């Protein structure tokens, strides 16, 4: 897509009417808008309507009205609409990818990958929609019979982050709809346009009015507070940072609203003495640098056994120095920008405080000299201290801190010495790697693989990385409640 086509594509989304209710866009009730910024140039892409409590309530009215009718449709009908959404999304991956790279700053190849990954949630849950089985049993005491079914939870409030603006939305919308729920969605303020494009796809796929509604806003807390105070909302599904997750759990508590929380990570990437070093480098390039390191599953801390450390480090430095950093829309770019100025500053501060504590930069990719955007250089850093801020905090960018280890107990203490527990990675001979992986406190472990995300696998974390799972069969159960009938026999 050239830039004129992309500008037209955005104009056709009618961003000044981005409050999407009953399958049509309208301006915010207050008339307020907020700018969406291109992080590669810091220029404003467009103004998007900024919802307030009035829009949040109007979206809920529509969802509450539509939900019973949607739940009454047959599972096959719901599945076929989702299947059509997959087809339509696959037919527009290039447009969606350009849009994501523009508003989010990530490399076009990453966006293209995300567009198909995001679409796949529609296909996967179109198939799950018709496989929601229950149970029938004779209780131990005999006499009666037990019938167990799953029913839709009701109206769901969905709140998504900017780092995967399409996939984090479809990973929630698809199972919610498959299970017979209606939803209200608030996308991240950095990336509302991708969500708006998905609304149009869902309408075209045949999703009835009111089943999916969207409220972009610069007043995030006002929207979530309105939704969580309303008795019609029965579930909040959130993906984002742990601090915001905690505050939403607090808002959900008074009315005991169901919660699904996909929160922050701090993934360890362990390369053992028996690892195939070249394979581990390939895996790390994906685990660390996919999406410019802005993934909750991103390798955040790299632990290298002393026997392979030198070879691994030397090869990694060569690869990182050769990375091409640039505007996300440039097809040559491998690493785009970070999302905004705050993220760029935060990473620079994290790096300088680690350097103050004895860390050393080993390699760095060059930054583009002709662009004024929010760029952070992919950097390999040797970190001598286990308590370095680079190992303790979620970096969410292209900094790659490495730390040597020799003793396995000491390694495990470091790996598990965090309140996060989303993903981790282990490279080494399979027997050793599996034994280590079993002792790592994380919801997902890549064993000799640098990628764990898969719509057909249960995605989620332990400890403060979250509650619940998305994707797979488990992902639909999040949007259902069990109902049991005791039958006189
Ligand atoms: P964030 O928590 O700042 O924002 C996420 C969403 O919450 C956005 O829609 C935002 O507008 C909204 N929000 C922000 N403040 C709010 C408030 N006070 N009340 C209500 N809503 C509010 O997170 P982010 O910066 O967009 O995303 C990065 C974080 O998300 C990282 O910690 C990352 O690990 C995490 N993440 C987790 C997963 C996962 O599946 N576990 C996936 C992607 C990202």
């Amino acid at each position: 897509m050239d830039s004129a086509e992309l500008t037209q594509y955005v104009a056709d989304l009618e961003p000044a009417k981005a409050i999407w209710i009953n399958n049509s866009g309208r301006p915010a009730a207050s008339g307020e808008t907020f700018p969406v910024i291109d992080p590669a140039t810091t220029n404003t892409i467009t103004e998007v309507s900024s919802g307030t409590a009035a829009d949040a309530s109007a979206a809920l009215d529509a969802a509450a009205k539509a939900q019973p009718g949607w739940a009454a449709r047959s599972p096959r009908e719901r599945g076929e609409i989702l299947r059509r959404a997959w087809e339509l999304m696959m037919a527009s991956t290039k447009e969606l990818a350009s849009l994501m790279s523009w508003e989010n700053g990530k490399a076009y190849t990453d966006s293209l990958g995300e567009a198909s990954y995001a679409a796949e949630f529609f296909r996967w849950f179109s198939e799950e929609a018709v496989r929601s089985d229950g149970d029938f049993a004779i209780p131990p005491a005999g006499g009666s019979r037990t019938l167990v079914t799953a029913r839709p939870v009701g109206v769901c409030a969905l709140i998504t982050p900017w780092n995967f603006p399409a996939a984090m939305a479809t990973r929630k919308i698809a199972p919610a709809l498959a299970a017979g729920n209606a939803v209200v969605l608030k996308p991240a303020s950095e990336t509302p346009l991708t969500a708006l494009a998905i609304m149009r796809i869902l309408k075209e796929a045949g999703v009835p009015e009111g089943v999916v509604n969207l409220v972009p806003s610069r007043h995030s807390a006002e929207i979530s507070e309105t939704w969580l105070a309303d008795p019609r909302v029965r579930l909040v599904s959130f993906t984002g940072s742990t601090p915001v997750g905690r505050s939403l759990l607090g808002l959900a508590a008074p009315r005991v609203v169901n919660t699904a929380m996909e929160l922050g990570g701090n993934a360890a990437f362990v390369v053992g003495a028996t690892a195939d070093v070249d394979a581990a480098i390939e895996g790390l390039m994906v685990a660390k640098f996919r999406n410019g390191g802005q993934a909750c599953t991103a390798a955040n801390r790299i632990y290298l056994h002393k026997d392979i450390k030198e070879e691994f480090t030397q090869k990694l430095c060569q690869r990182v120095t050769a990375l091409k950093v640039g505007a996300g829309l440039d097809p040559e770019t491998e690493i785009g920008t970070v999302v905004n100025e705050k993220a760029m500053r935060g990473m620079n501060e994290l790096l300088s405080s680690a350097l103050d504590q004895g860390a050393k930069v080993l390699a760095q990719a060059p930054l583009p000299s002709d662009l004024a955007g929010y760029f952070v250089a992919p950097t390999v850093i040797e970190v001598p201290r286990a308590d370095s801020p680079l190992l303790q905090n979620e970096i969410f960018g292209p900094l790659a801190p490495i730390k040597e280890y020799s003793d396995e107990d000491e390694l495990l203490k470091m790996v598990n010495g965090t309140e996060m527990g989303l993903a981790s990675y282990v490279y080494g001979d399979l027997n050793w790697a599996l034994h280590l992986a079993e002792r790592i406190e994380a919801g997902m472990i890549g064993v000799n693989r640098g990628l764990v995300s898969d719509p057909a696998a249960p995605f989620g974390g332990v400890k403060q990385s979250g509650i619940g799972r998305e994707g797979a069969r488990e992902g639909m159960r999040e949007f259902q409640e069990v109902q049991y009938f005791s039958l006189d026999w």
Side-chain angles (χ1 to χ4, degrees), residues 159-164 168 171 186-190 220-221 224 238-242 244 247-248 262-265 295-296 394 396 422 459 465 470:
I159 302 172
T160 51
W162 48 263
N163 64 335
F164 289 99
M168 296 303 96
R171 199 166 76 174
K186 196 208 77 68
S189 322
E190 293 82 355
S220 302
S224 55
F238 172 72
T239 298
S241 62
T242 297
V244 174
S247 87
L248 292 172
E262 296 289 343
L263 309 178
C296 48
E394 187 181 27
F396 231 60
L422 189 62
F459 189 106
S465 284
E470 291 192 328

Side-chain angles (χ1 to χ4, degrees), residues 248-288:
L248 292 172
L249 284 167
L251 289 177
R255 290 197 309 101
V256 196
V257 173
N258 289 288
T259 57
M261 294 280 141
E262 296 289 343
L263 309 178
N266 183 0
F269 190 99
V270 178
V271 188
T274 56
D276 173 337
V277 169
D278 292 323
I281 296 275
E282 289 309 321
L284 180 65
M285 294 308 287
V286 176
K288 177 70 249 184

Side-chain angles (χ1 to χ4, degrees), residues 92-388:
S92 46
T93 50
K94 287 186 181 150
E95 292 86 340
L96 285 168
S98 300
L99 182 60
M100 281 191 269
S101 286
W102 203 13
E103 66 174 349
N104 164 297
K106 65 167 94 176
Y108 180 74
T109 46
D110 281 334
S111 297
L112 206 51
E114 181 184 347
S116 331
Y117 170 57
E120 188 58 28
F121 286 103
F122 287 135
R123 180 161 67 164
W124 172 263
F125 285 106
S126 76
E127 293 156 352
E128 285 300 291
V130 294
R131 315 221 186 290
S132 176
D133 48 13
D135 207 354
F136 182 81
I138 304 174
S144 65
R145 293 295 182 268
T146 298
L147 180 67
V148 182
T149 63
R151 54 190 279 155
V153 66
V155 174
C156 305
L158 315 178
I159 302 172
T160 51
W162 48 263
N163 64 335
F164 289 99
M168 296 303 96
T170 59
R171 199 166 76 174
K172 296 183 191 302
I173 295 170
L177 266 56
N181 303 289
V183 305
V184 288
L185 167 67
K186 196 208 77 68
S189 322
E190 293 82 355
T191 54
L193 298 170
T194 304
L196 197 50
I198 292 172
M199 293 303 111
R200 287 170 183 262
I201 287 173
L202 287 168
K203 177 181 180 179
E204 199 183 335
V207 170
E209 285 183 9
V211 171
V212 179
N213 308 281
L214 179 78
V215 184
S217 176
R218 73 189 329 168
H219 313 288
S220 302
E222 184 177 335
I223 304 304
S224 55
E225 281 161 18
T226 305
W227 285 345
L228 281 161
D230 192 304
R232 294 172 296 180
V233 169
R234 289 309 317 148
L235 177 141
V236 56
S237 176
F238 172 72
T239 298
S241 62
T242 297
V244 174
R246 261 187 226 117
S247 87
L248 292 172
L249 284 167
L251 289 177
R255 290 197 309 101
V256 196
V257 173
N258 289 288
T259 57
M261 294 280 141
E262 296 289 343
L263 309 178
N266 183 0
F269 190 99
V270 178
V271 188
T274 56
D276 173 337
V277 169
D278 292 323
I281 296 275
E282 289 309 321
L284 180 65
M285 294 308 287
V286 176
K288 177 70 249 184
F289 295 108
R290 183 174 70 110
N291 227 36
Q294 299 178 111
C296 48
T297 50
N300 203 59
R301 309 169 279 154
I302 302 152
Y303 295 111
L304 304 177
H305 190 273
K306 66 174 177 25
D307 291 356
I308 50 87
K309 185 195 155 204
E310 210 176 303
E311 181 191 355
F312 187 98
T313 307
Q314 190 214 341
K315 288 180 169 169
L316 177 64
C317 287
Q318 274 172 12
R319 288 290 294 272
V320 169
T321 315
L323 283 172
K324 179 155 183 342
V325 183
L329 283 169
D330 177 344
E332 308 259 288
T333 291
E334 291 172 290
I335 305 285
T337 61
V338 295
V339 73
N340 55 27
E341 189 177 2
K342 187 170 161 228
M344 181 178 74
R345 278 219 204 114
M347 249 164 274
N348 291 338
E349 281 164 18
L350 206 52
L351 180 58
S352 62
S353 72
L355 297 180
D356 288 346
Q357 293 179 25
K360 224 169 61 191
V361 169
L362 301 182
Q364 208 157 42
L367 291 182
S369 51
D370 54 338
L371 289 168
Y374 306 127
F375 293 99
V376 173
T379 306
V380 182
I381 308 120
E382 173 144 31
V383 176
R385 295 172 52 157
D387 65 351
S388 167

Side-chain angles (χ1 to χ4, degrees), residues 274 408 426-439 447-448:
T274 56
E408 208 168 292
V426 181
Y427 273 77
D429 84 77
L430 194 59
N431 191 32
W432 173 82
L434 281 174
H435 276 84
L436 184 77
E438 273 191 355
R439 287 175 289 158
V447 178
N448 293 324

